[in-house]
C-alpha cells in the first residue's frame, strides 16, 4: 500500500481567508465548493486510518531538505568527543545532542506492548532490538517559547556547535517551514473532524517544538536487520520528516498492517503522535513505527559508497508539540467518544515528562 500524497497548495491559497468561528466557517466551506470539505475530510480520514500522511508543500522544497541533510551529515561525521560537547543530559536531552545508546525503544520496557507484539501475525511483527538505539539525535528548539511556564526544562535555550556558522539559520529555516506544513495539516484535520479550524493550532502556540534529526552510522551499523529505532510511538502532537537518503522506515497502519514508507522527492511524511490521540479521544491513534536496515538500505549504502557520499543516515525529523502549559483532553464532540475516559485531563508538559521517564531520557534525574 502506498500512502496517498496530499498537495497542500490549493488549501494554502485560501487558508488565511477561513474563519476560526465554526458557524462562519461552515458558510465559507459551502462558498468555496465541495473540494475544500472533501480535501479536509480526506486528511482527517487518512490520519485516522493510517496514522501517517504524505504531503507536498510548495514552501518546503527538496533543495531545502538537501541543504539541511548536508549540514547534519557533516556534523554527525565529527568525532564523538566533539559531539559530546553538545550533550545536555541534565535537561532530559531536550536540547543539544543525544548520543547513541541513550534512547530506549518503548517495546523494550513496556510489558503490555510486548504482549501485543507477540500476538501480531508473524509477517507484521517489528524487528527485535537488543538494547538502546544505536543512533545519535540532535534536538533544536523551533519557534518562540513562553516567558512564563511551569516546564522550563522543556523550553530550554538552544545549543550551537562550534565550526558551523550556518547552523542557526539552516536549523531555523527548515524547522519553521516544516512547522508551517504541520499547522496547515492540523487546520485541515480539525476542519475534517468537524472542529473549529484552530482547534489544534491554538494549542500549539509557543509549544516546545523540536527539530530532532537523527544520525545513524551505516559504516558501523550497516548490517541488514540492525534496528536504529525500535518499535515505538511519538509522544508529541504530530511528527514530520523530510525524505531520507537511506530507506528503512516501517510504519503500522491502524489495522495492524506493516508497510515500508516511500516518500517521493520533494514531499514530507507526517505521523500522528500521542497528543493528537488524546485530543481526539482515541479517534486518531499514535502511529507505531521503527527504523531498520533493510535490503533497500543496503542497496542505497552500496550506491553512496560508489559515489563517495556520506554513509550517515540522517532523518530530518521535527516533533510538533502542544504547548507545555496547555491542557490535553478530548476536544469538542470527541468527549463523547467511547474511549474518551482513557484520556483524562492533563497538562501537556506533565504528560511529556511522564513519557520521557519511561523511555529513559531523564538524564541526571536518576533514571538514565
Amino acid at each position: 500500500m502506498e500512502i496517498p500524497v496530499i498537495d497542500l497548495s490549493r488549501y494554502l491559497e485560501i487558508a488565511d481567508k477561513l474563519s476560526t468561528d465554526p458557524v462562519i466557517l461552515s458558510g465559507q466551506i459551502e462558498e468555496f465548493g465541495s473540494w475544500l470539505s472533501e480535501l479536509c475530510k480526506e486528511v482527517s480520514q487518512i490520519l485516522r486510518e493510517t496514522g501517517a500522511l504524505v504531503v507536498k508543500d510548495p514552501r518546503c522544497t527538496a533543495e531545502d531538505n538537501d541543504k539541511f541533510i548536508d549540514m547534519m551529515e557533516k556534523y554527525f561525521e565529527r568525532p564523538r568527543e566533539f559531539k559530546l560537547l553538545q550533550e545536555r543530559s541534565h535537561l532530559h536531552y531536550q536540547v543539544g545532542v543525544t548520543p547513541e545508546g541513550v534512547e530506549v525503544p518503548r517495546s523494550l520496557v513496556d510489558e503490555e506492548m510486548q504482549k501485543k507484539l507477540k500476538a501480531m501475525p508473524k509477517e507484521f511483527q517489528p524487528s527485535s532490538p537488543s538494547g538502546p538505539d544505536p543512533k545519535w539525535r540532535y534536538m533544536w528548539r523551533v519557534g518562540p517559547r513562553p516567558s512564563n511556564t511551569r516546564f522550563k526544562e522543556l523550553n530550554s535555550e538552544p545549543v550551537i556547535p562550534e565550526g558551523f556558522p550556518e547552523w542557526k539559520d539552516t536549523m531555523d529555516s527548515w524547522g519553521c517551514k516544516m512547522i508551517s506544513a504541520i499547522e496547515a495539516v492540523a487546520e485541515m484535520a480539525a476542519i475534517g473532524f468537524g472542529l473549529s479550524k484552530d482547534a489544534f493550532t491554538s494549542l500549539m502556540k509557543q509549544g516546545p517544538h523540536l527539530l530532532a534529526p537523527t544520525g545513524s552510522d551505516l559504516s558501523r551499523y550497516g548490517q541488514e536487520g540492525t534496528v536504529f529505532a525500535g518499535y515505538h510511538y511519538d509522544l508529541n502532537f504530530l511528527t514530520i520528516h523530510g525524505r531520507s537518503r537511506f530507506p528503512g522506515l516501517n510504519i503500522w497502519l491502524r489495522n495492524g498492517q506493516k508497510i515500508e514508507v516511500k516518500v517521493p522527492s520533494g514531499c514530507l511524511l507526517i505521523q500522528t503522535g500521542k497528543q493528537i490521540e488524546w485530543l481526539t479521544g482515541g479517534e486518531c491513534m499514535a502511529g507505531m513505527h521503527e527504523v531498520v536496515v533493510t535490503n533497500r538500505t543496503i542497496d542505497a549504502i552500496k550506491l553512496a559508497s560508489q559515489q563517495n557520499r556520506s554513509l550517515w543516515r540522517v532523518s530530518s525529523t521535527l516533533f510538533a508539540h502542544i504547548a507545555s502549559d496547555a491542557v490535553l483532553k478530548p476536544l469538542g464532540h470527541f468527549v463523547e467518544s467511547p474511549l474518551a475516559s482513557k484520556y483524562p485531563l492533563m497538562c501537556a508538559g506533565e504528560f511529556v515528562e511522564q513519557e520521557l521517564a519511561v523511555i529513559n531520557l531523564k538524564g541526571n534525574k536518576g533514571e538514565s
Side-chain angles (χ1 to χ4, degrees):
M1 172 187 170
E2 295 289 326
I3 301 172
V5 177
I6 301 291
D7 191 330
L8 303 183
S9 302
R10 199 172 181 190
Y11 176 79
L12 293 173
E13 289 172 2
I14 56 99
D16 288 342
K17 300 172 185 174
L18 298 178
S19 175
T20 56
D21 183 303
V23 176
I24 298 174
L25 177 62
S26 179
Q28 290 178 317
I29 289 174
E30 286 186 24
E31 181 185 328
F32 282 111
S34 61
W35 72 266
L36 177 57
S37 174
E38 289 169 3
L39 185 61
C40 291
K41 283 180 180 175
E42 184 180 9
V43 167
S44 61
Q45 181 181 348
I46 294 171
L47 290 176
R48 180 195 294 119
E49 293 177 358
T50 71
L53 185 70
V54 175
V55 300
K56 189 168 184 61
D57 187 326
R59 302 168 298 181
C60 303
T61 66
E63 291 73 27
D64 291 328
N65 190 47
D66 285 340
K67 180 182 178 183
F68 175 79
I69 289 181
D70 287 345
M71 184 184 76
M72 293 312 304
E73 284 177 349
K74 289 176 189 171
Y75 173 77
F76 286 124
E77 285 170 351
R78 295 296 296 269
R80 177 182 177 88
E81 294 72 23
F82 172 82
K83 289 180 289 202
L84 289 179
L85 295 174
Q86 290 85 50
E87 182 182 18
R88 300 291 185 272
S89 61
H90 63 288
L91 296 176
H92 301 187
Y93 296 101
Q94 290 297 287
V95 289
V97 80
T98 304
E100 63 181 59
V102 171
E103 292 189 12
V104 177
R106 187 110 194 185
S107 55
L108 270 185
V109 295
D110 189 326
E111 292 182 4
E112 186 178 335
M113 184 180 287
Q114 289 168 3
K115 290 176 186 175
K116 290 179 181 176
L117 300 189
K118 288 175 183 174
M120 283 182 177
K122 194 81 172 173
E123 67 270 25
F124 296 152
Q125 287 183 6
S127 302
S128 299
S130 55
D133 294 337
K135 70 176 186 297
W136 292 72
R137 188 190 293 279
Y138 206 99
M139 294 287 207
W140 178 264
R141 66 177 225 171
V142 177
R145 294 301 199 255
S147 56
N148 183 26
T149 175
R150 289 171 48 203
F151 303 95
K152 292 195 182 298
E153 289 176 328
L154 299 180
N155 296 277
S156 308
E157 289 301 313
V159 180
I160 303 175
E162 288 187 18
F164 288 83
E166 75 280 29
W167 187 273
K168 187 178 188 304
D169 287 345
T170 302
M171 299 294 263
D172 286 346
S173 173
W174 185 231
C176 287
K177 286 182 178 184
M178 290 207 289
I179 282 284
S180 295
I182 287 264
E183 288 173 338
V185 168
E187 287 180 358
M188 295 168 79
I191 294 169
F193 282 131
L195 302 171
S196 64
K197 172 193 168 187
D198 65 345
F200 297 133
T201 53
S202 61
L203 297 174
M204 290 173 60
K205 287 177 181 171
Q206 297 191 330
H209 313 308
L210 289 166
L211 181 55
T214 62
S216 306
D217 188 355
L218 294 169
S219 67
R220 290 181 62 204
Y221 303 110
Q223 302 77 27
E224 188 168 353
T226 300
V227 181
F228 280 120
Y231 181 82
H232 68 286
Y233 61 76
D234 292 339
L235 60 86
N236 53 298
F237 174 60
L238 291 172
T239 301
I240 186 167
H241 314 262
R243 187 171 185 261
S244 175
R245 290 172 178 167
F246 297 91
L249 175 64
N250 295 320
I251 68 169
W252 278 258
L253 306 184
R254 186 156 186 164
N255 65 8
Q257 183 184 354
K258 173 184 176 181
I259 62 171
E260 185 176 3
V261 176
K262 297 173 185 175
V263 180
S265 179
C267 292
L268 302 161
L269 173 71
I270 292 176
Q271 292 176 276
T272 51
K274 204 68 177 177
Q275 290 176 346
I276 193 172
E277 180 179 326
W278 218 274
L279 296 172
T280 61
E283 185 82 4
C284 272
M285 300 295 286
M288 305 304 300
H289 50 283
E290 68 178 4
V291 178
V292 181
V293 176
T294 65
N295 55 356
R296 289 183 63 237
T297 318
I298 300 291
D299 291 342
I301 292 172
K302 290 175 182 174
L303 182 60
S305 298
Q306 291 166 7
Q307 297 176 346
N308 201 29
R309 290 189 284 109
S310 174
L311 293 182
W312 277 85
R313 182 191 187 277
V314 173
S315 75
S316 54
T317 301
L318 183 141
F319 299 120
H321 279 261
I322 298 304
S324 302
D325 295 279
V327 172
L328 290 178
K329 63 179 180 179
L331 300 177
H333 62 86
F334 290 121
V335 76
E336 306 295 333
S337 162
L339 298 175
S341 61
K342 290 180 62 179
Y343 304 98
L345 184 146
M346 180 184 291
C347 218
E350 184 183 344
F351 169 75
V352 169
E353 290 188 335
Q354 285 182 12
E355 291 283 309
L356 292 176
V358 173
I359 57 174
N360 210 26
L361 287 182
K362 278 287 191 176
N364 72 340
K365 298 286 183 179
E367 287 133 340
S368 62

